[in-house]
C-alpha cells in the first residue's frame, strides 16, 4: 500500500522506485524485529544476577537473529555474511546486521556483570542503539514507535501517528505495512511502517496487570499476546 503525502512534484522516476524501496524497507524492518525478538527472549538470562558470563556473545546473538529472520521471512542471511553484496538491499541488510551485532558487542561488559539483576539492555534500548549505528553507517533511519510510547525519542511523528491509527483499525490485515513517498527536511524520502505485535517474551514488561511495575521500574501497559504494540518505522533516502 503506497501513500503519496501531498507531493505535487513527486518525480515519476522516484515513484517508480517505490516498489523496490518497499521491499528493502520490509526486509530491514523484519531484521530489526528479529533482533528485538532475540533480545526479548533472552531478558531472563541477561538479567540473572547469579551468572557472570552469559555466553551471549555477538556471534551467538547474530546466529539466533539469522535463524529467527530465516524462520519468519524464508531468507537466509548467512550467504550475505562474508560476501560483498552488490545490490543495495543486501548492503543495507548486512549493515543492519552489523549494527545489531555492534550494539550487543558494546553491551558485553554490562551484560556479563555478576550480582546485578536488571541491566537496562531491553529490546527497546537495543533497537535505539542499533538505529543510531545504522544511521551512521548508511544515512538511513530506523525507529521503533508506539501510540503508547514510554520514551519520548520513540514518539510518533504525524505520519507515524496516522499510520499507527490505521494499524489499530479493526479489520486491518495483520502484519500489513504502509509505504509512502514523503519529504523530510526538504529531502525526498521513502517511508515505510511495519506493525509490531506483542509476543510472549514481551509480556513481562508490557503485559498484565496494567499499572504494575516491570523489571525496568516502568508501568506495564496491560497488553495481551497478539495485540498491536507499535511499529518499526523506516526512512530511506530517495534513489
Ligand atoms: C525487559 C523489559 C521489556 C521487554 C521484555 C520488552 N520491552 Fe518494550 N520497552 C521496554 C522499555 C523500558 C521501553 C521504553 C523505551 C526505552 O527505555 O527507551 C520499551 C519500549 C518499547 C517500544 C517503543 C515505544 C516506547 O514505548 O517507547 C516498543 C515498540 C516496544 N517496547 C515493543 C516491545 C515488544 C514488541 C517486545 C517483545 C518482543 C518488548 N517491547 C519487550 C521494556 C521492555
Amino acid at each position: 500500500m503506497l501513500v503519496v503525502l501531498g507531493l505535487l512534484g513527486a518525480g515519476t522516476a522516484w515513484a517508480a522506485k517505490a516498489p523496490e524501496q518497499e521491499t528493502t524497507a520490509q526486509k530491514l524492518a523484519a531484521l530489526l524485529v528479529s533482533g528485538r525478538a532475540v533480545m526479548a527472549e533472552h531478558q531472563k538470562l541477561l538479567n540473572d544476577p547469579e551468572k557472570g558470563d552469559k555466553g551471549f556473545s555477538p556471534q551467538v546473538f547474530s546466529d539466533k537473529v539469522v535463524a529467527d529472520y530465516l524462520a519468519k521471512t524464508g531468507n537466509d542471511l548467512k550467504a550475505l555474511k562474508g560476501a560483498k553484496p552488490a545490490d543495495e538491499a543486501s548492503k543495507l541488510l548486512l549493515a543492519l546486521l552489523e549494527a545489531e551485532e555492534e550494539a550487543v558487542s558494546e553491551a558485553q561488559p554490562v551484560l556479563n556483570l555478576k550480582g546485578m539483576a536488571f541491566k537496562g539492555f531491553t529490546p527497546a534500548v537495543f533497537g535505539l542503539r542499533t538505529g543510531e549505528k545504522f544511521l551512521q553507517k548508511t544515512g538511513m533511519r530506523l525507529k521503533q514507535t508506539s501510540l503508547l510510547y514510554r520514551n519520548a525519542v520513540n514518539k510518533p511523528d504525524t505520519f507515524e501517528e496516522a499510520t499507527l491509527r490505521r494499524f489499530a483499525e479493526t479489520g486491518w490485515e495483520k502484519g500489513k505495512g504502509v509505504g509512502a513517498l514523503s519529504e523530510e527536511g526538504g529531502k525526498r524520502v521513502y517511508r515505510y511502517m511495519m506493525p509490531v505485535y506483542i509476543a510472549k517474551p514481551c509480556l513481562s514488561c508490557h503485559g498484565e496487570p496494567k499499572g504494575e511495575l516491570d523489571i525496568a521500574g516502568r508501568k506495564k501497559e496491560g497488553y495481551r499476546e497478539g495485540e498491536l504494540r507499535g511499529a518499526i518505522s523506516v526512512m530511506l533516502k530517495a534513489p
Side-chain angles (χ1 to χ4, degrees):
M1 150 124 10
L2 181 75
V3 188
V4 179
L5 295 173
L7 297 175
L8 295 171
T12 46
W14 178 34
K17 281 276 182 193
E20 201 178 299
Q21 290 209 294
E22 170 157 19
T23 308
T24 303
Q26 273 168 348
K27 288 180 177 175
L28 292 170
L31 185 53
L32 186 60
V33 167
S34 284
R36 297 180 88 268
V38 172
M39 287 309 306
E41 282 158 16
H42 292 79
Q43 286 297 306
K44 219 175 169 173
L45 166 74
L46 299 177
N47 293 324
D48 182 349
E50 307 294 325
K51 271 208 181 85
D53 187 352
K54 309 294 185 299
F56 193 72
S57 66
Q59 187 61 54
V60 166
F61 160 79
S62 184
D63 289 347
K64 287 180 189 288
V65 173
V66 169
D68 186 272
Y69 185 79
L70 176 63
K72 285 178 181 157
T73 67
N75 293 323
D76 195 352
L77 296 179
K78 254 199 214 114
L80 273 189
K81 297 193 79 180
K84 264 215 161 29
D87 64 298
E88 187 63 14
S90 300
K91 274 185 204 159
L92 289 173
L93 269 178
L94 199 56
L96 179 55
L97 187 58
E98 275 170 16
E100 295 189 8
E101 288 167 5
E102 283 167 26
V104 170
S105 174
E106 278 173 16
Q108 291 296 308
V110 178
L111 294 182
N112 290 328
L113 282 176
K114 202 178 167 179
M116 184 198 227
F118 183 54
K119 314 283 191 310
F121 201 53
T122 58
V125 167
F126 158 83
L128 193 63
R129 294 195 189 153
T130 295
E132 286 163 3
K133 291 178 190 302
F134 186 66
L135 179 64
Q136 279 167 10
K137 286 174 190 285
T138 64
M140 311 283 186
R141 285 191 48 195
L142 274 174
K143 176 181 163 189
Q144 50 205 3
T145 186
S146 172
L147 290 172
L148 286 184
Y149 61 90
R150 294 181 174 194
N151 186 334
V153 295
N154 301 326
K155 183 181 172 176
D157 65 20
T158 312
F159 168 70
E160 288 165 341
E161 191 177 331
T163 307
L164 284 165
R165 292 200 189 286
R166 293 179 62 194
F167 289 163
E169 280 166 13
T170 38
W172 185 266
E173 188 188 323
K174 200 159 185 193
K176 184 172 150 190
V178 166
L181 299 174
S182 178
E183 274 184 17
E184 305 295 328
K187 296 220 172 74
R188 286 173 171 184
V189 291
Y190 177 78
R191 303 197 60 162
Y192 180 77
M193 284 178 69
M194 178 181 277
V196 170
Y197 301 91
I198 290 287
K200 267 208 184 72
C202 320
L203 293 172
S204 62
C205 295
H206 295 296
E208 296 180 301
K210 184 176 173 177
E212 187 186 86
L213 297 187
D214 66 12
I215 189 173
R218 312 288 289 271
K219 281 189 183 140
K220 296 187 189 179
E221 290 87 352
Y223 287 110
R224 296 195 184 152
E225 198 180 344
E227 277 185 332
L228 177 72
R229 163 66 180 128
I232 302 297
S233 177
V234 185
M235 250 185 249
L236 302 177
K237 288 182 285 189

